[in-house]
Amino acid sequence: MTTGSAGDGWQQSLQAGPLIAAAVVLLAASVATVAVHRLRNPRRRHGLALWWRLRLRLYPGAGFARRLELYLHYGLPAARKVVRHARPSLRGWWKRHLVPHHEIALFLGWAQGWIFRMRTYATFEDGVLCLAPQKEGKTAHLAGRILDAPGAVIVTSIRDDIVGLTAGLRGEHRRVHLFNPDGFGTWASTVRWSPVDGCHDQATALRRAAHMVAAAETGGVSDEGFWTNQAAMVLASLMHAAALERLTMEQVYAWALDEDPTPLKILARPRPGLDTDRAAALVRRYHTLHVRTRDSIFLTLRQVLRCMDDPAIARMICPAPGEGLDLDDLLRRRETLYLIAGDDVSPAIPVLFTTLVAEIHHRARQLASRRPGRRMDPPVLFVLDEAPEVCPIPRLPGWLATAAGSGLVFVVAGQSHAQFRQKWGPEGARTIWNNAKAKMLFGATSDPEDLKTMSELCGEIALPYWETSVDGSGRRLRTRRWENVPVLPPEQARRLPTWRALVLRRNATPTIVRIEQIWKRADYKRWRKNGEVPLPPQKPSAPTTASSSTPLELPAIRRGPRLARPWHVRHTNPDDDHQ
């Protein structure tokens, strides 16, 4: 009896097994159907949605560059063609193929793939424009380009975290300098620079004064163009007089405020080999102008020289003769210069940064003119992060057009295209946009114009679909038709995952890349663990009694595995802080 009951239960289990298996299969099919429905792209009607394709590192979809085009237009072959004339020292075929990739190109990111990842590059003749909202990975990308740069690097930033990420590794091979006139963040300035140095040449004085006046905010003055020109000429004459007597910006500031006759006396002295008559005439004319005219010029000069109101900033730009930053050595020795501003940018900072970067650009062009191919080899990299806010160089649109022929590489970064229109005007912003041959546009922006621009640059593609209709006899007919749809609709451009960016280079088909996260690099991990690396000194907790003529040095700081620097304490989770 017991044996029979057990046998009946076993037979019932065998009969119920197929039913349970069928139920499981139906449930799995239902879940898969719902999942596919949620994951698919409604505009494309087939395949996974773009967000999921990017997360899974798959080909983004029709309309984006495939692997062959990535290799030909975004890969190293295109960079090697440019390097043949962009770097005269690498003209040999074997040299171009044996050197590391960062010696011949700018890495942009990985386009697709898990095992065979497609690396994308911009050449040294492509100016790069990065538009990214905050916390979308822009800083991490720029830090990687700083570490990879084979030549001198000039960096502007609105925060000092980029110094903590890159200064140690850059300092292992070349000297690192920090210019932080506002005293923002953890690190103090290691160098000072005077706009007066070199102004014994009248052309240098005119050039620097023009950049200083153009970068100052003088929007409240009527007939702004006329007064800025007059102020630039007067300021150039005062700086020329100060340079002749080896004075500093402190004297220039005093002369501008008090209409001191001292500069006129200095310029009136006979000097063999120098013609100071024109500068003296400008100062004399300024002193004899009608009081209202002179006041208008004075207001413009007051805006330009407001940096002297802050004693800390004034000290940074008034070094003793011979103690200022040597720009030629900076370029020849392939050193790194960081120009750091605070979150609340002082009105004086754009004036100083614009003048200093413009002078470095001029010196680089002068050095390049005397080298083979009239180029800097290796090229000088200008990483202008938050350029519209801290370094609004008036001539930047033109620089991007001529930089490729001089061995100068620009990576210009901002938060939106509206920032560039505000600082350079519609025409200037359009020129910057056109002259930047490689563009990296990050997602998560809410600006409809930027999203529309991203969509329009990617274009449209024709996709097939079936249209069902009924004829007169009641038969159902299926007709294949084609529909034009955007490659990257604006709503999908906004939803690009973090660490992803739309890349467009010259006339190549667009692609979407996964950018580099610097803290995942092998060299950065090695640096974090051990080694002696030259870094900017920490700011003293109390005011020091050192004289203004004491030179600032870069000490070697020893760090063991457990010793954390101040930025390490702040950035315990780099994935959160550097997005």
Side-chain angles (χ1 to χ4, degrees), residues 432-567:
I432 293 175
W433 180 268
N434 291 333
N435 289 337
K437 300 303 182 182
K439 303 174 181 64
M440 299 186 67
L441 310 177
F442 291 67
T445 179
S446 300
D447 189 337
E449 293 187 11
D450 286 355
L451 294 174
K452 183 181 178 182
T453 300
M454 294 171 67
S455 180
E456 291 178 347
L457 289 174
C458 292
E460 295 182 343
I461 56 172
L463 293 180
Y465 69 98
W466 293 96
E467 184 180 83
T468 304
S469 60
V470 180
D471 62 3
S473 61
R475 292 183 304 175
R476 299 183 64 181
L477 303 176
R478 296 185 67 196
T479 307
R480 191 182 189 188
R481 299 188 182 279
W482 297 83
E483 178 187 11
N484 289 332
V485 299
V487 173
L488 182 66
E491 66 273 14
Q492 292 190 11
R494 183 183 63 83
R495 295 185 68 246
L496 288 181
T498 305
W499 310 113
R500 304 301 194 279
L502 173 68
V503 173
L504 304 105
R505 180 182 174 268
R506 294 182 178 264
N507 58 351
T509 306
T511 187
I512 297 178
V513 303
R514 180 171 56 90
I515 66 171
E516 183 181 49
Q517 301 174 38
I518 183 175
W519 39 87
K520 294 184 179 180
R521 290 173 54 128
D523 54 354
Y524 181 81
K525 292 179 180 179
R526 172 190 55 79
W527 171 77
R528 290 274 301 229
K529 290 181 179 179
N530 51 28
E532 288 188 2
V533 289
L535 289 172
Q538 295 186 34
K539 290 165 57 177
S541 57
T544 61
T545 58
S547 64
S548 59
S549 60
T550 303
L552 300 170
E553 298 294 338
L554 285 165
I557 300 178
R558 176 78 179 180
R559 184 178 72 173
R562 295 180 178 270
L563 181 60
R565 295 191 180 88
W567 67 76

Side-chain angles (χ1 to χ4, degrees), residues 103-365:
E103 293 281 347
I104 61 175
L106 291 172
F107 178 60
L108 301 179
W110 297 276
Q112 62 195 57
W114 284 90
I115 300 176
F116 301 103
R117 300 184 298 176
M118 296 297 297
R119 300 174 67 94
T120 59
Y121 301 90
T123 70
F124 284 152
E125 291 190 347
D126 297 334
V128 181
L129 176 65
C130 296
L131 296 183
Q134 294 182 355
K135 300 298 182 180
E136 285 301 310
K138 174 168 57 69
T139 300
H141 172 72
L142 297 179
R145 308 296 66 77
I146 294 170
L147 294 184
D148 288 342
V153 182
I154 315 300
V155 185
T156 66
S157 181
I158 208 168
R159 294 175 59 189
D160 65 343
D161 53 353
I162 200 167
V163 180
L165 290 170
T166 61
L169 281 170
R170 287 291 298 182
E172 286 185 341
H173 306 287
R174 309 287 179 181
R175 290 193 65 185
V176 173
H177 307 283
L178 177 61
F179 187 64
N180 183 11
D182 246 350
F184 174 80
T186 304
W187 307 108
S189 294
T190 63
V191 292
R192 289 182 284 169
W193 179 74
S194 173
V196 174
D197 287 348
C199 286
H200 56 274
D201 176 35
Q202 293 191 41
T204 301
L206 287 170
R207 182 178 62 254
R208 292 184 185 175
H211 283 294
M212 294 179 69
V213 174
E217 297 179 0
T218 56
V221 182
S222 59
D223 297 329
E224 180 181 350
F226 173 78
W227 300 119
T228 53
N229 290 335
Q230 296 295 318
M233 290 189 292
V234 173
L235 179 60
S237 300
L238 298 180
M239 293 171 65
H240 181 50
L244 293 177
E245 294 294 317
R246 298 174 64 84
L247 303 176
T248 65
M249 285 295 296
E250 186 175 357
Q251 283 71 34
V252 174
Y253 182 59
W255 293 341
L257 291 181
D258 299 335
E259 299 179 14
D260 195 315
T262 303
L264 186 58
K265 297 178 181 178
I266 294 174
L267 295 172
R269 296 173 188 167
R271 300 178 184 272
L274 287 178
D275 183 9
T276 59
D277 293 342
R278 184 175 181 276
L282 287 172
V283 176
R284 187 180 299 108
R285 178 175 174 273
Y286 171 65
H287 288 169
T288 58
L289 285 173
H290 188 273
V291 62
R292 292 185 178 179
T293 305
R294 190 167 63 250
D295 286 347
S296 297
I297 299 176
F298 169 77
L299 289 176
T300 304
L301 287 175
R302 186 70 181 81
Q303 291 291 102
V304 175
L305 298 176
R306 65 169 64 182
C307 55
M308 301 300 299
D309 293 337
D310 188 335
I313 298 179
R315 179 179 178 273
M316 289 295 101
I317 62 175
C318 294
E323 293 186 0
L325 177 65
D326 192 322
L327 304 185
D328 288 354
D329 282 349
L330 171 72
L331 297 171
R332 290 194 185 101
R333 297 175 181 175
R334 309 178 190 179
E335 298 172 348
T336 306
L337 173 64
Y338 297 92
L339 293 88
I340 305 301
D343 293 328
D344 185 14
V345 179
S346 168
I349 296 302
V351 176
L352 296 180
F353 284 11
T354 295
T355 308
L356 180 52
V357 173
E359 194 62 23
I360 294 173
H361 175 268
H362 175 76
R363 293 306 307 159
R365 292 286 301 270

